[in-house]
Amino acid sequence: MKKTNENVHKLLKILNDLEYHDGSNLGEALGITRAAIWKLIKKLKAYGIAIQSCQSKGYRLLKPLILLDEKKIKAAHNTAKMHLEIFEKIDSTNDYLKKQALSMQQIAICLAEMQTAGKGRLNREWYSPFAENIYLSLRYPLTTDISQLNGISLLAGLAICKAIETLFPMLKPHLRVKWPNDVWISGEKLAGTLMEIQAESHGNCQIIFGIGLNVNMQQVPKTSITQKWTALTKATNTYIDRNPLCASLITQLIAYIERFLNKGFKDFQTEWKKRDALTQRTLRLSTGTQDWEGDYLGINAQGHLLLRTRQGKQLSFAAGDATLLKY
Ligand code: BT5
């Protein structure tokens, strides 16, 4: 686990013009040796960054690459209330916040350029390549009793949609939430969320929202993602600076949590319905121990999924995986 090296920031700022830069000139600009530049380049290549090396001309970045930048992300927020950390490489941003014992009064945010053990639900893997996507966790201290938090995990997907459409209004008609924790564009997974709760002995609890949002990812090794996926770059046809998006995600997530604390999940039901990817679909619901098939009837005021089975029985589920069936 380490914070992003300042020299990596400086080097990429120069290479972002996609022109060749000679090792000695780069060394001069950064105040380090040519050998140190070579080492940085080697590290970036090992992270999967496409850099062309040419003995006579130097180094050239093949695609633009803007790193996460604390100043840009913080500029949009009241930072007194917030503790923000950005890592170059970490196991899991959610796990990091779970291990930290920060003041209960502060909202804590952890971002990383890459995760080596990014996780989904039920210990599934979250594929997290370097500097392509957003891996963000936000911890929010609560004094609410856990029994009052029904449905809160569904907020993250709604907040992601809102954050994206604020910056990319043309995507609004295409963004969908898929119960319980996905954001989809055209039936492909754009983002996944993982909510974890830690209860404290004196009745307080910490809630950690983890967001994995595909931004500039274009290709993945064959076996790393086991379902259809997409990324914002595909939907917008541009390279996207992740910094304004991170700021927007933080703003919206905090706003949605605070609205939930004031009004409860009921207040989000209409919004969920508008964005629901499962409306009028037939699906298979797997709980891990059993599978059910039937018609989707929406979600209830607790955020539970409602299903009418083929036998006409109505069931509600607090957790599970939903798969669309084509009939
Ligand atoms: C999720 O789980 O969708 C929750 C993902 C949460 C990831 C964030 S990243 C920041 C924070 N820190 C963490 O360690 N985690 C959170 P689930 O519904 O179980 O979906 C997992 C499945 O999604 C995998 O089995 C793959 O099929 C698929 N998947 C993995 N990586 C993906 C990616 N980058 N894009 C789309 N799908 C992916």
Side-chain angles (χ1 to χ4, degrees), residues 91-95 110 115 117-129 133-137 180-182 189-194 196 209-214 217 220 224-230 321:
D91 50 0
S92 149
T93 53
N94 261 39
D95 285 350
C110 175
Q115 296 184 115
K119 54 180 195 175
R121 292 174 301 145
L122 306 167
N123 283 327
R124 292 176 194 136
E125 272 175 42
W126 189 256
Y127 181 63
S128 313
N133 305 320
I134 292 176
Y135 319 112
L136 178 153
S137 296
N181 66 319
D182 288 359
K189 186 158 172 166
L190 175 74
T193 68
L194 175 68
E196 300 186 87
F209 281 100
I211 293 176
L213 168 61
N214 297 333
M217 188 162 79
V220 305
S224 31
I225 302 183
T226 51
Q227 57 184 280
K228 285 190 178 167
W229 64 273
T230 190
D321 283 305

Side-chain angles (χ1 to χ4, degrees), residues 61-162:
L61 204 53
L62 294 181
K63 284 190 294 182
L65 181 72
I66 303 172
L67 292 180
L68 297 173
D69 183 332
E70 192 170 330
K71 278 194 213 112
K72 286 192 201 165
I73 298 170
K74 273 187 166 172
H77 295 97
N78 171 3
T79 48
K81 261 174 57 182
M82 180 185 297
H83 182 88
L84 173 76
E85 289 181 283
I86 302 177
F87 294 95
E88 183 174 310
K89 188 172 172 182
I90 202 166
D91 50 0
S92 149
T93 53
N94 261 39
D95 285 350
Y96 176 74
L97 288 186
K98 267 174 37 185
K99 284 180 224 145
Q100 293 294 299
L102 284 173
S103 142
M104 285 300 289
Q105 304 312 313
Q106 257 188 335
I107 294 171
I109 293 149
C110 175
L111 279 155
E113 293 291 6
M114 79 183 272
Q115 296 184 115
T116 52
K119 54 180 195 175
R121 292 174 301 145
L122 306 167
N123 283 327
R124 292 176 194 136
E125 272 175 42
W126 189 256
Y127 181 63
S128 313
F130 182 80
E132 293 190 349
N133 305 320
I134 292 176
Y135 319 112
L136 178 153
S137 296
L138 181 144
R139 192 185 62 204
Y140 195 98
L142 292 176
T143 45
T144 321
D145 192 87
I146 287 189
S147 63
Q148 305 296 308
L149 298 180
N150 272 330
I152 195 167
S153 69
L154 302 192
L155 299 188
L158 293 175
I160 293 171
C161 292
K162 187 79 184 173

Side-chain angles (χ1 to χ4, degrees), residues 109-311:
I109 293 149
C110 175
L111 279 155
E113 293 291 6
M114 79 183 272
Q115 296 184 115
T116 52
K119 54 180 195 175
R121 292 174 301 145
L122 306 167
N123 283 327
R124 292 176 194 136
E125 272 175 42
W126 189 256
Y127 181 63
S128 313
F130 182 80
E132 293 190 349
N133 305 320
I134 292 176
Y135 319 112
L136 178 153
S137 296
L138 181 144
R139 192 185 62 204
Y140 195 98
L142 292 176
T143 45
T144 321
D145 192 87
I146 287 189
S147 63
Q148 305 296 308
L149 298 180
N150 272 330
I152 195 167
S153 69
L154 302 192
L155 299 188
L158 293 175
I160 293 171
C161 292
K162 187 79 184 173
I164 295 172
E165 74 185 29
T166 307
L167 297 178
F168 305 99
M170 67 287 198
L171 295 182
K172 188 172 177 176
H174 308 292
L175 291 163
R176 293 276 177 278
V177 285
K178 187 219 161 212
W179 187 93
N181 66 319
D182 288 359
V183 174
W184 276 8
I185 289 184
S186 310
E188 296 174 332
K189 186 158 172 166
L190 175 74
T193 68
L194 175 68
M195 200 208 68
E196 300 186 87
I197 296 184
Q198 283 185 310
E200 304 270 305
S201 51
H202 32 79
N204 291 347
C205 67
Q206 308 188 26
I207 187 155
I208 296 169
F209 281 100
I211 293 176
L213 168 61
N214 297 333
V215 184
N216 292 310
M217 188 162 79
Q218 286 181 323
Q219 280 174 337
V220 305
K222 245 189 187 157
T223 51
S224 31
I225 302 183
T226 51
Q227 57 184 280
K228 285 190 178 167
W229 64 273
T230 190
L232 287 176
T233 191
K234 200 172 145 196
T236 56
N237 255 320
T238 48
Y239 176 81
I240 293 168
D241 177 355
R242 292 163 298 153
N243 290 297
L245 199 50
C246 286
S248 185
L249 281 172
I250 295 166
T251 304
Q252 295 303 339
L253 196 51
I254 293 173
Y256 274 64
I257 295 170
E258 290 175 352
R259 187 171 133 206
F260 177 94
L261 295 175
N262 286 329
K263 303 200 169 163
F265 185 71
K266 281 203 299 284
D267 203 50
F268 296 89
Q269 264 183 295
T270 313
E271 193 173 331
W272 185 276
K273 205 168 171 184
K274 274 192 206 149
R275 298 192 188 274
D276 197 339
L278 301 179
T279 303
Q280 296 195 326
R281 304 301 294 259
T282 305
L283 46 94
R284 177 180 308 119
L285 199 286
S286 312
T287 59
T289 48
Q290 203 172 348
D291 285 1
W292 306 85
E293 286 186 9
D295 295 325
Y296 177 65
L297 301 177
I299 54 166
N300 65 15
Q302 283 77 46
H304 296 175
L305 179 143
L306 304 174
L307 190 79
R308 186 174 43 234
T309 66
R310 296 189 190 291
Q311 293 72 36

